[in-house]
Every structure is written in structure tokens, then in C-alpha cells.
Amino acid sequence: MQQQQSTALVWFRNDLRTQDNSVLQSALSTSKPVIGVYFLEPQWFEKHEFGFKKMEKFRAKFLLETLKCLQNELKKLNISLLVFEDSAENKMKSIVKSYNVSDVFLQKEWTAEESMSLQNVKKGLPTEVKIHQYYDQFLFHPDDLPFHFGDTPKVFTQFRKQLEKNSKVRELIKNKPQSDAYLLKKTSTIPTLNALGYEDIKVDDRSAFPFSGGEILAFERLHHYFFESKALGVYKKTRNGLLGLNYSSKFSPWLANGSLSARQIYWSIKAFENQFFSNQSTYWLIFELIWRDFFKYVSLKHGNEIFKIDGILKNEYQWSNHKKYILQWINGETTNDFVNANMIELKTTGWMSNRGRQNVASFFAKTQKLDWRIGAAYFESMLLDYDVHSNYGNWMYVAGVGNDPRDRIFNVKLQAERYDANQKYRQQWLQSKLF
């Protein structure tokens, strides 16, 4: 690449895909050579306030797999991806200088750490370097809402009905290759899991999520779930399941790091409905995507309030941080076998069903009255599909400081009898511990 020619840099964050990526499309539309960069921020692999790493081994492995896939897929577009084990704040200035970057393109984020990172990067860059940010993680784009995001309804049903009536999902974006002359002769090697300080992982054969990261495998899963197994057609009936690969779509880990977009899922559902049939189940997966949007808009509206102990409702409760009870919950050693089975599954695989998450969170916050932010931080560390908005939105909801007007408490015993009546799930994860 001739250095005198200015380049467009795509700073990848949670948008790790080549297709239906408006950030990448915008960079390519400049007609400048495009290169990509990703930063493995050191703080993700360090212990934080509540004693957990931001990112434990399961999500780290999934991320590295995703980056390898992204690097390969970008190469097909003649775009090189640089990956650094360093912070954007430390590294961006030298990248901009080395590659004569005139424009930086990135997905717009608004939570505290991401916002601070960008502000610190901006301070180190020459004033002539332009920063371009785009909202690209929603099903319904903020510009297409029937209200300003600051007026997002408190209750999900009101939010959903307004969007379904007055908004439309945008069409998919297909990105095309740039000139092959723009590929860098020397690029980055993506580190191993060991290099990040983790031991190798052997996927547990009981795992309900044995899949790898990256947009190619995301589409394989989508194609299988929709068009091969047609499991989408019974989604509403099976979504509260606990065992097996197809009780739910399992799209959430790919959605979380952006190797699959909500729009791609939506338009694939529409293709399924056109080819086969539409029913409550095909609608219900869209319904769940709208829930995902809702928590993103709640976060956009309330900012850092979602991380505070009193939440967005400013409800004051007496929370405990009793270490013994926290460790019992983490290790699956509480007085409730259904909670224990779910927590052991999480610790062993990095995955837990939606039904399980609601129950263990309610037990933690409502039964044990433990500081819900500790539970949220543990989920952040462990869950393959950790998404800051859904994680903290759901934890606030369950803890009674978020968007649930009923402030409910799950009866975990009755939930277990309903969703694991034959105890197969508990037997699978507790084994000899059960009796």
C-alpha cells in the first residue's frame, strides 16, 4: 500500500461481521483503502470490583474464534484486519500514523467504558482525523423510532406495540470487495487462548451450546434452525426448555459480539414465512428481538443508571454481599437443586437457558437478597452471550429496580416442578449430588 494515500480505518467492536455492517459499508463508500482493527483490551482479562474477570475463558475462546473468522471474511473483501493485545487508547495514535488514516469508522456505543475509551482515543489523535460513528446493533434503528429514544416507554408492551405499528426494519446491507491492491503485506496473528492467560477448553459433551464463534458458523446455525430442522416453527413451545440444541435458537452469543445482526435474523424469519408458514412461533422470535432492542433503548435512555444499585427506578433495598452465599450460588451449592444445576451448567459451559437465568437471578436477588450487581458481574464474566444492555436490563428487572412494574419473585421450587418435572435436567448437571 502506498503510504501517501490516506486510508479509512474500521475500528471493530461488537460488530464482528462483514455483511449487513453499515460501519464497514460507510468506510468502503469513501473509495479510500480500508483496513480494520480490533483491540483485545487488557482490562477485560483482569479482575475487577467484585472479584471477577470481565471476560472468562468461554467468552474469550468464542471471541478469538470470531476474530479468526472475521479476518478470513474480510480478506475476501481485500480488507486486512489488525488485532492488538493492547488498549485502543495506547495503540490508536501509532496506527493512524503508520497507515496514514484520515477517517476512523466505528459502531456507536454509549455505556461508560466504551465511551471513555473513545474519548481517550480522540485526545491522542490529530484534529484532522475524522471520527464517524453509526448505530448498528438494533433491530429498529434509532432514526426510525416513532419517538425519541429519550422517551422510550418504561413498559415493554408499550414499546413493542409502538414499534410494530409505526416502524420498519431496514433492508440488509451487502458489502463488496475493494481492490486487491489494498491488502496489507503484513498483518496480525490472533493470539491463542493460552496467550491471554487461559487454559485450553474442551467442550463438555452435555453443553447446549457446543458451537464456535464467527459469522460463518452463525449462518450455519441459522440455516439449520430455520430451514433444515424447521425448529423455528415450534420455537414458542420449546423456548423454555433446558436440554438439547434446539429448544431455543441459540443465536445470542453471535448477536452479542455482532457476528450476526438482528436484521439478518429478522429477514431470515420473513424468508422462512414466505417459503413455509408463519405462526406464533415465527412471530415470537421477532418478539424476543424486540425485547433485545428494548433493553438497548433503556440503556441509551438511562445511561449509567443501569449499573447503580438502585437502578433506573431508584428503589432502595437492603442488599447483602455475604461472601458465603455468593460462593454457594456460584458453585451450585445452595439449598435449591434447580438453582444449583443451572449454576453448574454455567460454570462448566458458559451457557444457561433463559428460564434458568431468570430463576437463579431471582434466587440471588430476591430470596438471598444479595447485591444484584454482583450476580450481573458474574454473568458478564461467564456467559458466552454477555451483552451489557440485556444483562444489566434483565438483572435490574429481576431485582425490582428496572422495568418490571410487578416486581415479581420467582418460586424456584414450582418453576423446577413445571420445567424439569422429570428431573432430567437436574440429574444431568448434579448427578450424584442430587440425592
Side-chain angles (χ1 to χ4, degrees):
M1 185 188 295
Q2 296 181 348
Q3 290 303 301
Q4 64 267 28
Q5 187 175 11
S6 63
T7 60
L9 180 70
V10 176
W11 175 4
F12 285 94
R13 297 166 109 182
N14 286 321
D15 55 344
L16 303 181
R17 63 186 183 276
T18 58
Q19 298 306 320
D20 197 42
N21 188 325
S22 65
V23 177
L24 184 57
Q25 180 197 44
S26 299
L28 287 166
S29 70
T30 65
S31 299
K32 296 178 181 180
V34 176
I35 57 175
V37 67
Y38 188 86
F39 300 99
L40 290 159
E41 300 275 348
Q43 62 160 327
W44 296 344
F45 313 108
E46 300 166 356
K47 288 187 178 180
H48 287 265
E49 180 183 0
F50 297 118
F52 312 122
K53 290 181 180 180
K54 286 275 183 185
M55 185 183 296
E56 259 299 346
K57 59 186 179 181
F58 299 110
R59 192 153 58 94
K61 177 176 180 283
F62 195 79
L63 174 59
L64 295 179
E65 292 164 349
T66 301
L67 291 174
K68 287 177 185 175
C69 180
L70 178 64
Q71 196 170 56
N72 290 334
E73 293 305 298
L74 284 171
K75 193 173 182 181
K76 295 175 184 176
L77 300 179
N78 297 318
I79 298 170
S80 298
L81 178 68
L82 304 167
V83 178
F84 296 99
E85 293 177 67
D86 203 345
S87 69
E89 182 180 349
N90 287 342
K91 200 72 182 174
M92 187 67 86
K93 185 177 180 181
S94 65
I95 295 168
V96 165
K97 183 177 180 181
S98 296
Y99 298 100
N100 196 25
V101 173
S102 61
D103 298 81
V104 178
F105 295 81
L106 70 158
Q107 178 170 276
K108 184 171 179 60
E109 303 283 352
W110 54 89
T111 39
E113 291 170 9
E114 291 78 8
S115 298
M116 183 62 70
S117 174
L118 178 58
Q119 289 306 312
N120 290 337
V121 164
K122 283 181 176 179
K123 290 175 186 175
L125 294 183
T127 53
E128 62 268 21
V129 175
K130 296 176 183 175
I131 306 290
H132 309 268
Q133 298 185 72
Y134 302 88
Y135 288 117
D136 201 34
Q137 62 271 71
F138 297 95
L139 180 62
F140 293 96
H141 192 280
D143 291 346
D144 302 334
L145 296 184
F147 47 80
H148 185 268
F149 66 76
D151 297 319
T152 295
K154 176 184 172 184
V155 178
F156 169 72
T157 302
Q158 296 173 8
F159 173 84
R160 174 182 59 80
K161 287 181 176 178
Q162 287 196 51
L163 264 63
E164 289 177 337
K165 183 179 180 181
N166 301 303
S167 298
K168 290 185 178 180
V169 176
R170 294 186 176 186
E171 296 294 329
L172 299 177
I173 296 166
K174 186 168 177 58
N175 288 314
K176 298 178 181 178
Q178 63 177 352
S179 166
D180 59 4
Y182 298 146
L183 272 174
L184 301 178
K185 291 179 180 177
K186 187 179 180 182
T187 187
S188 304
T189 301
I190 294 168
T192 63
L193 199 58
N194 298 141
L196 295 180
Y198 302 101
E199 295 179 354
D200 289 327
I201 301 170
K202 183 181 182 297
V203 177
D204 193 293
D205 59 12
R206 297 169 292 176
S207 176
F209 191 94
F211 310 106
S212 299
E215 65 181 310
I216 297 299
L217 286 163
F219 266 97
E220 286 181 8
R221 171 62 184 172
L222 186 150
H223 185 77
H224 173 78
Y225 189 75
F226 284 7
F227 301 103
E228 292 177 0
S229 70
K230 297 186 180 62
L232 171 61
V234 292
Y235 171 74
K236 192 180 181 192
K237 296 177 183 176
T238 62
R239 65 193 173 89
N240 284 312
L242 302 166
L243 292 167
L245 301 185
N246 277 1
Y247 66 75
S248 66
S249 71
K250 307 295 196 305
F251 296 152
S252 55
W254 293 294
L255 268 172
N257 68 24
S259 46
L260 184 66
S261 77
R263 290 184 300 266
Q264 287 171 315
I265 297 171
Y266 175 88
W267 287 114
S268 293
I269 294 169
K270 292 302 172 184
F272 178 94
E273 289 178 334
N274 288 335
Q275 187 174 342
F276 301 111
F277 55 85
S278 62
N279 62 11
Q280 280 193 319
S281 288
T282 60
Y283 166 73
W284 211 259
L285 191 51
I286 296 172
F287 180 91
E288 297 292 355
L289 290 174
I290 300 174
W291 259 113
R292 177 177 176 272
D293 260 20
F294 179 61
F295 283 132
K296 288 188 179 295
Y297 282 112
V298 167
S299 167
L300 193 55
K301 176 181 179 179
H302 293 280
N304 292 333
E305 299 298 317
I306 69 170
F307 303 117
K308 295 180 179 177
I309 194 165
D310 296 336
I312 63 173
L313 293 184
K314 308 291 192 295
N315 281 349
E316 294 186 15
Y317 293 97
Q318 292 299 313
W319 300 105
S320 165
N321 60 356
H322 198 300
K323 191 169 184 179
K324 176 185 174 183
Y325 295 139
I326 293 168
L327 288 174
Q328 285 176 345
W329 181 77
I330 286 171
N331 294 319
E333 297 172 347
T334 73
T335 56
N336 186 281
D337 60 2
F338 190 57
V339 170
N340 294 345
N342 277 285
M343 294 306 297
I344 290 168
E345 180 185 17
L346 176 60
K347 191 175 183 179
T348 307
T349 68
W351 178 263
M352 190 194 298
S353 68
N354 178 59
R355 181 56 47 184
R357 296 178 200 202
Q358 293 181 60
N359 276 277
V360 302
S362 183
F363 182 85
F364 187 90
K366 290 293 182 64
T367 303
Q368 302 284 61
K369 303 189 186 308
L370 295 164
D371 183 340
W372 66 270
R373 298 170 304 165
I374 300 172
Y378 184 68
F379 270 26
E380 175 176 356
S381 179
M382 295 298 292
L383 278 172
L384 279 161
D385 61 355
Y386 168 73
D387 170 281
V388 59
H389 316 107
S390 292
N391 187 58
Y392 281 87
N394 273 303
W395 270 96
M396 283 195 302
Y397 195 97
V398 168
V401 296
N403 296 88
D404 184 5
R406 289 172 288 180
D407 191 16
R408 76 194 80 184
I409 300 174
F410 279 79
N411 184 323
V412 181
K413 184 175 182 294
L414 289 179
Q415 289 270 307
E417 290 173 0
R418 179 176 179 182
Y419 295 104
D420 188 34
N422 57 17
Q423 300 200 31
K424 282 186 178 179
Y425 176 75
R426 280 169 284 179
Q427 287 170 2
Q428 173 162 286
W429 291 107
L430 299 178
Q431 297 174 0
S432 60
K433 284 187 177 182
L434 185 59
F435 300 107

